[in-house]
Amino acid sequence: MINVKLAKGISSSGGSTVQSIAKWLFPLINLPCRANRVTLDNLRAFGETDPTALVATGFLMPMGPATHVQAINGCGCGLHEVVRIGRGPRARFMTSCVIDGVEEIQRDRLRQWFVNDLQVGDELATAIKSDGKCRAIVIDGAWLIGELIVDGVRLEIFLARESDVDRISECVVPSRAIVVVADSVQRTWDQFAGVVKLSDAFSFAGPKPVFQADRVRSMVRWEDGTDGNVFLCKGEFWELRHEGKVAYLKDSVGMGYLARLLAQPNRVIPAVTLLASRLGIDPLQLSGSSGEVIDEQAREDYRGRYLMLLDDMRLAEANHDRATMERIQLEQDALTTELSAAFGKDGRGRVKSDAEKVRKSVSMAVTRAIEKITVHHTSLGRYLDVSMELGGTMVYRQHEPMDWLV
């Protein structure tokens, strides 16, 4: 955890005059707790005890009282469970420990707040682009906050907790990603275009963070691929380099599919995923099935349960109960998977030809692209022809190590 102090003040009109946002902005988003709760114990670790300014700016949202507190007497328990005795303003709160015995806990120590991740991400996204908004790509772990042009190539910028950096590789092409992490992170990742510390990516000398674009560019490990293998889109054309020969081909759907496969060698990628990525939709919308997947009664049961989950989610959001929200989200995702497999976009039951159409469409696009490449770059076309396995699932089978700039 970063040891920082919050410089703050409240104006006579009640507005926040918080300075040096970085001093507490990233410690909040880098909390080790997956439920993203902040207690007074956490704030003390930041060097702060008053959450007023953080609540006023929307970065913290009040929650119900904590059910556990950190052990502070060196007993080795880590956490102590809180037991409530009585109700109302006269209620007392106690903890029990086999070493320290029973101890009364002041009500104020049980106060806790929910970290508004999107508000934190939006603050940094706005620093990159005035109307920027962040978008979660890993729940409670990684957010897309903007983009940066480096040598004419657009790289996406992500904010991530240390524990979720590797998961970004599952969602995007790593060589096109810049990841911003906390200053305390000591690990290194070689698969990304760059992994940058928060204080290098942003300046916090004023009341708002300022994105340091030139500094980030200087820290990106970006190569133009002149002496290596390149499969790179530059506007309406693709630059192809292989075995010392260069070719430029006009953009096509199949070229994009090939780039995605080359970026993830030996990884099986469903054809529906490739098509969905190009269309910008959920792959589940394209998942086919063999005949009617579920009967009418099962459909109604699924719908009823989903509506109940929506009500539960609204209640959990109102209580800022992140743990319950995550549990509901998992069940919603499972139900969505079942329903998406059962229904087409028109609401009718899916038929088995859907998946076959996707397979044929993607396979034909890749095949045509390889044929076109062979005409203009024979050695590359032949290499792709023997390395690409096409079908319902596709994979770039790399038999010998080979780096690609894509």
Side-chain angles (χ1 to χ4, degrees):
M1 188 68 65
I2 306 172
N3 185 17
V4 296
K5 289 189 177 181
L6 172 64
K8 66 181 187 308
I10 303 296
S11 67
S12 59
S13 62
S16 172
T17 59
V18 179
Q19 300 293 321
S20 298
I21 290 177
K23 300 299 182 181
W24 45 268
L25 187 63
F26 209 88
L28 290 180
I29 206 169
N30 203 43
L31 282 171
C33 178
R34 292 298 298 168
N36 292 353
R37 291 180 175 88
V38 174
T39 65
L40 281 180
D41 290 332
N42 295 134
L43 292 179
R44 291 189 183 102
F46 300 163
E48 186 55 50
T49 58
D50 185 2
T52 304
L54 296 173
V55 173
T57 55
F59 293 102
L60 293 185
M61 303 173 69
M63 297 180 62
T67 58
H68 294 77
V69 295
Q70 292 180 347
I72 59 177
N73 296 327
C75 63
C77 297
L79 291 176
H80 286 162
E81 184 177 2
V82 177
V83 178
R84 179 174 180 168
I85 301 175
R87 294 185 177 278
R90 294 186 178 182
R92 300 172 63 195
F93 300 88
M94 315 292 290
T95 63
S96 177
C97 174
V98 295
I99 297 176
D100 293 335
V102 177
E103 178 186 4
E104 184 170 359
I105 300 296
Q106 295 299 316
R107 183 188 297 264
D108 193 56
R109 191 181 169 197
L110 301 180
R111 296 172 64 196
Q112 61 178 355
W113 300 265
F114 164 67
V115 180
N116 189 346
D117 293 328
L118 293 179
Q119 180 73 18
V120 174
D122 283 345
E123 188 74 30
L124 297 181
T126 303
I128 297 175
K129 187 178 179 181
S130 60
D131 59 347
K133 291 287 184 181
C134 79
R135 176 170 61 87
I137 63 166
V138 176
I139 295 177
D140 293 335
W143 300 263
L144 174 64
I145 59 174
E147 60 183 43
L148 180 67
I149 304 299
V150 179
D151 295 333
V153 177
R154 182 177 63 86
L155 304 181
E156 293 181 316
I157 304 173
F158 299 90
L159 175 67
R161 292 193 177 90
E162 180 179 4
S163 58
D164 292 290
V165 171
D166 289 319
R167 297 180 63 188
I168 296 177
S169 300
E170 303 172 6
C171 306
V172 301
V173 178
S175 61
R176 295 291 190 91
I178 301 172
V179 183
V180 179
V181 297
D183 287 6
S184 60
V185 174
Q186 300 299 319
R187 284 187 58 190
T188 59
W189 292 267
D190 296 328
Q191 67 267 42
F192 298 102
V195 177
V196 184
K197 298 294 181 67
L198 177 69
S199 59
D200 290 323
F202 297 89
S203 168
F204 298 90
K208 293 287 186 178
V210 177
F211 182 53
Q212 303 181 118
D214 290 339
R215 186 168 187 176
V216 174
R217 286 192 183 95
S218 69
M219 302 178 72
V220 171
R221 300 184 300 274
W222 180 257
E223 301 175 358
D224 63 9
T226 301
D227 299 323
N229 299 297
V230 177
F231 204 100
L232 192 62
C233 183
K234 294 188 174 181
E236 297 181 358
F237 290 86
W238 288 79
E239 177 183 341
L240 312 180
R241 295 178 184 266
H242 181 64
E243 295 184 347
K245 182 178 179 180
V246 182
Y248 294 90
L249 274 68
K250 193 171 183 180
D251 187 24
S252 69
V253 172
M255 298 292 282
Y257 293 151
L258 283 171
R260 172 70 182 273
L261 292 166
L262 288 171
Q264 298 172 298
N266 299 314
R267 179 176 178 180
V268 176
I269 303 177
V272 293
T273 299
L274 292 173
L275 179 57
S277 296
R278 181 176 69 84
L279 298 177
I281 63 175
D282 190 328
L284 295 175
Q285 292 181 308
L286 299 171
S287 298
S289 60
S290 180
E292 292 288 330
V293 179
I294 55 177
D295 60 27
E296 187 62 32
Q297 182 59 49
R299 294 175 190 172
E300 292 304 318
D301 290 343
Y302 276 130
R303 288 192 181 102
R305 179 56 183 161
Y306 196 85
L307 291 174
M308 290 177 62
L309 288 174
L310 290 178
D311 291 337
D312 292 344
M313 178 65 82
R314 282 191 286 267
L315 180 61
E317 289 175 344
N319 293 328
H320 308 301
D321 187 347
R322 197 53 174 263
T324 300
M325 291 166 61
E326 288 189 3
R327 177 185 60 77
I328 294 173
Q329 185 63 59
L330 289 174
E331 187 172 350
Q332 283 181 327
D333 290 344
L335 287 174
T336 299
T337 299
E338 294 293 336
L339 292 172
S340 296
F343 298 103
K345 287 185 260 186
D346 57 0
R348 294 181 296 180
R350 288 190 179 277
V351 293
K352 61 184 178 181
S353 60
D354 289 352
E356 182 65 15
K357 288 179 181 177
V358 172
R359 182 193 69 80
K360 287 184 178 180
S361 173
V362 176
S363 295
M364 290 180 63
V366 172
T367 299
R368 285 195 295 266
I370 292 177
E371 291 175 349
K372 186 177 180 180
I373 291 171
T374 304
V375 173
H376 299 275
H377 196 313
T378 304
S379 62
L380 176 57
R382 290 174 178 172
Y383 173 76
L384 295 175
D385 187 45
V386 299
S387 301
M388 296 294 171
E389 298 179 5
L390 309 182
T393 58
M394 304 194 177
V395 59
Y396 162 42
R397 194 67 68 187
Q398 195 177 79
H399 301 288
E400 297 181 359
M402 182 179 294
D403 293 328
W404 284 91
L405 177 63
V406 297

